Amino acid sequence: MDTGSGSTKVEEKEELKAVVLADTFDELFQPMTQNRPRSLLPLCNVPMIEYTLEMLALSGVVEAFIMCKAHADKLTAYIKQSQWARGHAQMKVFVRSVRHATTIGDALRAVDESSAIMTDFVLCTGIVVSNMNLSKIVAAHVANKKRDSNHIMTMLLQETTPGHRRQVKSDESVYFIDPSSSRLLALNSHATVPRVRTTVIPPEVITAHAEVEVRADLTDTCVAICTPDVLALFTENFDYHIMRRDFIHGILESDILGKTIYAHVLGGSNSIAGDSDGDAMAGEGLAFVSHSGYAACVTDT
């Protein structure tokens, strides 16, 4: 914006929006999700979607779009009678039914088709437990995007210890990260059964970088900061069904796309719990009861 007194420009801040995936198109929470959506399962007598929406509102999100297939009517009814439907609510919440979706990729393609997201946005599941303010992480994402025009996503990864309740029991991942820039260079992800005791390091990762961190102590929080290019890439490639094994792998291994992904590692007092299975959810509930759950829901100090 020209002020008329020279070439000074004022950069208008974009409104932050969010896409919340209320379905993950798996059966990890069966039979608990037989009659209600996973995001309405209670954690300490509070529906899990509330923890997610509180985190987004605290982070400055102005509009959240909840994508839901199973029991969309029940989730819609809940939102209509919740605090998010009130006129003074600090964040607008919309529930979008994706009846014909069979994968996460289908849900994100529906978001892209709706044109509801035209700027950077927060992508997460509907069962993220945290009260962390993501503002600083969003700012870091924007800064990386200014330095790297190919940057499309910042993944939030959580430091864990072996056997910790937040570790996904059905999946193991090894992350290769450039410590100087926090750029994610490669990702090896595989099922825990059968047991795999070795990992493959892509030769180009070693030869092209002076230093590489190999991290097997990280778990995906199911929270990411994305550019609209992420939605466009899902629309262009129908082979992308799930996030980590399809999309992340596809981007990191493609020489044609040339897109980059960065990692933000949460450790110490910063934590987000993206309860990806029943064991993780049970562990989080026990943490709350024992008061240690507050360590999983702290501010971004």
Side-chain angles (χ1 to χ4, degrees):
M1 182 179 70
D2 193 346
T3 61
S5 57
S7 58
T8 304
K9 293 183 178 180
V10 177
E11 189 173 315
E12 188 175 342
K13 186 177 180 180
E14 296 177 342
E15 289 187 339
L16 185 62
K17 299 183 180 182
V19 174
V20 180
L21 299 173
D23 281 284
T24 54
F25 307 97
D26 55 42
E27 298 181 351
L28 291 175
F29 280 78
Q30 290 284 10
M32 293 186 294
T33 53
Q34 192 69 36
N35 299 311
R36 57 179 163 179
R38 186 176 68 162
S39 54
L40 290 185
L41 292 176
L43 179 62
C44 297
N45 296 323
V46 176
M48 296 190 72
I49 190 67
E50 286 292 343
Y51 297 103
T52 303
L53 295 178
E54 287 284 358
M55 178 195 70
L56 295 175
L58 180 65
S59 302
V61 172
V62 296
E63 290 183 349
F65 297 88
I66 303 176
M67 310 303 291
C68 184
K69 177 183 179 180
H71 311 296
D73 54 337
K74 293 184 178 181
L75 188 53
T76 300
Y78 174 80
I79 293 298
K80 284 183 177 180
Q81 58 82 42
S82 72
Q83 61 172 318
W84 308 106
R86 298 170 186 169
H88 61 271
Q90 63 185 109
M91 179 177 70
K92 295 181 180 179
V93 178
F94 307 93
V95 179
R96 297 286 186 262
S97 175
V98 282
R99 294 182 181 179
H100 303 295
T102 58
T103 66
I104 290 174
D106 290 339
L108 293 179
R109 283 184 275 273
V111 176
D112 189 38
E113 185 179 359
S114 71
S115 299
I117 302 294
M118 305 299 292
T119 59
D120 290 3
F121 64 98
V122 179
L123 176 63
C124 65
T125 66
I127 55 171
V128 173
V129 181
S130 177
N131 67 354
M132 178 181 289
N133 188 332
L134 301 177
S135 299
K136 291 183 179 179
I137 301 174
V138 172
H141 165 85
V142 173
N144 283 332
K145 193 172 65 170
K146 290 180 178 179
R147 290 191 294 266
D148 180 359
S149 60
N150 292 316
H151 174 39
I152 61 170
M153 174 185 282
T154 300
M155 292 182 68
L156 273 65
L157 304 174
Q158 179 71 57
E159 286 184 344
T160 59
T161 55
H164 194 279
R165 64 178 182 271
R166 293 197 188 101
Q167 283 193 329
V168 180
K169 304 298 187 296
S170 60
D171 184 275
E172 290 182 348
S173 297
V174 179
Y175 298 86
F176 301 85
I177 302 173
D178 183 343
S180 63
S181 64
S182 295
R183 179 181 165 186
L184 183 61
L185 305 175
L187 167 63
N188 285 347
S189 185
H190 52 80
T192 53
V193 178
R195 186 77 173 178
V196 177
R197 299 188 179 277
T198 60
T199 188
V200 178
I201 303 177
E204 62 273 13
V205 170
I206 301 299
T207 57
H209 299 86
E211 187 178 358
V212 178
E213 284 187 351
V214 182
R215 303 290 299 268
D217 62 332
L218 302 176
T219 186
D220 188 357
T221 65
C222 303
V223 179
I225 316 300
C226 306
T227 70
D229 287 343
V230 169
L231 300 176
L233 287 167
F234 268 96
T235 297
E236 294 169 6
N237 195 328
F238 279 81
D239 290 332
Y240 293 158
H241 299 302
I242 58 178
M243 184 59 68
R244 197 161 57 240
R245 293 188 190 177
D246 290 342
F247 180 76
I248 302 296
H249 273 286
I251 296 300
L252 295 178
E253 296 176 0
S254 174
D255 295 326
I256 299 175
L257 294 175
K259 301 300 183 181
T260 58
I261 297 173
Y262 287 72
H264 186 97
V265 177
L266 302 171
S269 60
N270 294 317
S271 183
I272 293 179
D275 298 328
S276 54
D277 56 31
D279 290 338
M281 180 179 174
E284 206 60 44
L286 289 172
F288 267 58
V289 171
S290 64
H291 302 292
S292 62
Y294 293 106
C297 306
V298 297
T299 59
D300 57 337
T301 53

